[in-house]
Amino acid sequence: MASYVLKRLLLMLPTLVGVMLITFVVTQFVPGGPVEQLVSELQGRGQAGEASSGTEGLYRGATGLSEEHVEKLNALYGFDEPAHKRFLSMMWNYISFDLGNSYFHNKSVMELVVSKMPVSISLGVWSFFIIYLTCIPLGVAKAVKDGTSFDVITSTIILIGYAIPGFVLGITLLVLFGGGSFWDIFPLRGLISDNWDELPWYHQVLDYLWHMVLPITASVIGSFAIMTMLTKNSFIEEIRKQYVLTARAKGLPENVVLYRHVFRNAVIPLVTGFPAAFIGAFFTGSLLIETIFSLDGLGLLSYESVLKRDYPVVLGTLYLYTLLGLIAKLLADLSYVLIDPRIQFESVGH
């Protein structure tokens, strides 16, 4: 086990560097970089200024910036150095989690990520627990009652939920329950109310939970089907095996057969996604959900940083997500052994 973990840790380095290198190279050829955008903005302001004042010479941006000004802008953003030096310097700083500073937000990338995380954590963690705590018991019940009316009805409901896009459901919920054309029950925007600081602590908790109802509902409905059906199919496969028939023949109670014998084996496929889902819950970001419910989270930050060519934010967040993804994958593999000690990675050539 120790040798396997060491090998995986050593493989993380070239994987991480490879992902960052490919993304860095792509950014070098994407048109409309930060310098071009700033030049375009300055020229636009200059043209607007001259048009509104009717005078010439008020701002020279209308005729284009000089080569000297463009070179100063390149130096300001660090583009005056060769690309390979910038990449090596960036990766060296990333080792100490110095992700640089945003071009447009006047903050460090780490500060931006931390400031947006309350929204993303709220969406991700609540969605994670609701999905797992609902889908696993429901999947077990569907496996036990396979083919019954309960199984058919629940399958129909969750598949309908799966077919509805999250943003469509979010808009529908706002129209129905957010003071649209029907009932004004839930708030339209934000994590908390404007007077949240003035409320007693128990009202603060209730206010926060009340704001989370609609966005969480829109986020989790579509995810019920995959986890529920995966749980059901995994349990059905195990229930049909010989050891289950033997346990029942010995007169063991059905709950003992299901939750002591079947559950341990059936849950193994579910474990593969558990660490990644749990870690991802802290950094998840849904652009459409955040936009619909006016939540300023990581999804919106990532989208805006790509549009503005805010490369420190794009590359810095990618570095964090990739590193966490690799760690989550390793934890998923280790979870196999914790659940079933019979699994040995060394024995299969790892």
Side-chain angles (χ1 to χ4, degrees):
M1 174 61 70
S3 61
Y4 172 79
V5 173
L6 180 60
K7 289 178 183 178
R8 289 294 300 270
L9 291 175
L10 292 177
L11 285 173
M12 284 184 184
L13 181 59
T15 303
L16 186 61
V17 173
V19 170
M20 298 305 301
L21 178 60
I22 292 173
T23 308
F24 182 83
V25 171
V26 170
T27 60
Q28 305 309 300
F29 297 98
V30 175
V35 173
E36 289 83 356
Q37 290 200 15
L38 183 57
V39 170
S40 177
E41 182 180 350
L42 292 175
Q43 290 176 343
R45 287 179 181 176
Q47 292 170 353
E50 290 185 359
S52 61
S53 63
T55 59
E56 295 183 358
L58 180 64
Y59 182 73
R60 297 186 59 84
T63 60
L65 295 180
S66 66
E67 294 267 345
E68 181 182 356
H69 285 108
V70 173
E71 289 178 0
K72 289 182 178 180
L73 288 176
N74 283 321
L76 176 65
Y77 289 120
F79 295 140
D80 56 332
E81 296 183 355
H84 69 279
K85 287 186 177 181
R86 287 188 282 118
F87 177 76
L88 293 176
S89 176
M90 179 188 74
M91 293 305 300
W92 179 256
N93 292 332
Y94 281 3
I95 294 175
S96 60
F97 291 94
D98 179 7
L99 305 182
N101 297 312
S102 168
Y103 292 154
F104 302 100
H105 293 278
N106 295 320
K107 289 183 179 179
S108 69
V109 175
M110 189 62 75
E111 283 182 306
L112 277 175
V113 171
V114 171
S115 66
K116 308 296 183 181
M117 278 184 64
V119 169
S120 298
I121 288 177
S122 296
L123 289 174
V125 173
W126 283 114
S127 299
F128 171 83
F129 282 110
I130 290 174
I131 290 171
Y132 271 85
L133 293 177
T134 302
C135 294
I136 292 180
L138 180 59
V140 173
K142 287 173 63 62
V144 174
K145 301 179 181 180
D146 183 36
T148 64
S149 57
F150 170 81
D151 181 37
V152 174
I153 293 173
T154 53
S155 294
T156 302
I157 294 174
I158 63 175
L159 289 176
I160 291 175
Y162 179 73
I164 301 175
F167 70 93
V168 174
L169 180 60
I171 295 173
T172 304
L173 291 174
L174 282 178
V175 172
L176 290 176
F177 305 108
S181 303
F182 297 90
W183 301 281
D184 186 4
I185 300 176
F186 297 100
L188 288 173
R189 59 186 302 276
L191 283 179
I192 55 177
S193 299
D194 294 335
N195 63 335
W196 190 81
D197 292 331
E198 303 172 3
L199 300 174
W201 68 269
Y202 51 91
H203 282 170
Q204 290 179 339
V205 173
L206 292 175
D207 181 75
Y208 164 75
L209 295 176
W210 204 240
H211 279 75
M212 283 286 96
V213 171
L214 294 187
I216 293 299
T217 302
S219 299
V220 303
I221 293 297
S223 302
F224 281 155
I226 297 176
M227 184 60 62
T228 301
M229 300 308 294
L230 178 61
T231 304
K232 174 190 173 182
N233 294 334
S234 181
F235 265 80
I236 288 178
E237 183 180 355
E238 290 296 323
I239 288 173
R240 293 171 179 172
K241 291 185 177 179
Q242 185 64 41
Y243 76 89
V244 177
L245 298 176
T246 303
R248 286 172 173 168
K250 290 181 178 180
L252 293 178
E254 188 65 17
N255 286 338
V256 174
V257 174
L258 286 176
Y259 294 102
R260 184 174 298 177
H261 297 281
V262 175
F263 185 82
R264 185 171 184 176
N265 294 313
V267 79
I268 292 177
L270 305 178
V271 170
T272 59
F274 188 91
F278 185 73
I279 292 178
F282 291 89
F283 290 91
T284 189
S286 175
L287 170 63
L288 294 174
I289 296 296
E290 291 178 10
T291 302
I292 291 170
F293 294 98
S294 300
L295 301 173
D296 189 11
L298 291 174
L300 194 59
L301 174 65
S302 300
Y303 175 72
E304 290 178 346
S305 63
V306 171
L307 288 183
K308 294 180 178 179
R309 306 296 191 268
D310 198 346
Y311 295 144
V313 177
V314 173
L315 295 170
T317 53
L318 177 65
Y319 176 81
L320 287 178
Y321 298 159
T322 305
L323 181 61
L324 290 171
L326 293 172
I327 294 174
K329 180 61 177 175
L330 175 60
L331 293 177
D333 290 344
L334 297 179
S335 299
Y336 275 114
V337 179
L338 295 177
I339 291 180
D340 191 351
R342 295 172 297 176
I343 298 176
Q344 298 293 331
F345 293 113
E346 289 83 357
S347 63
V348 292
H350 290 279

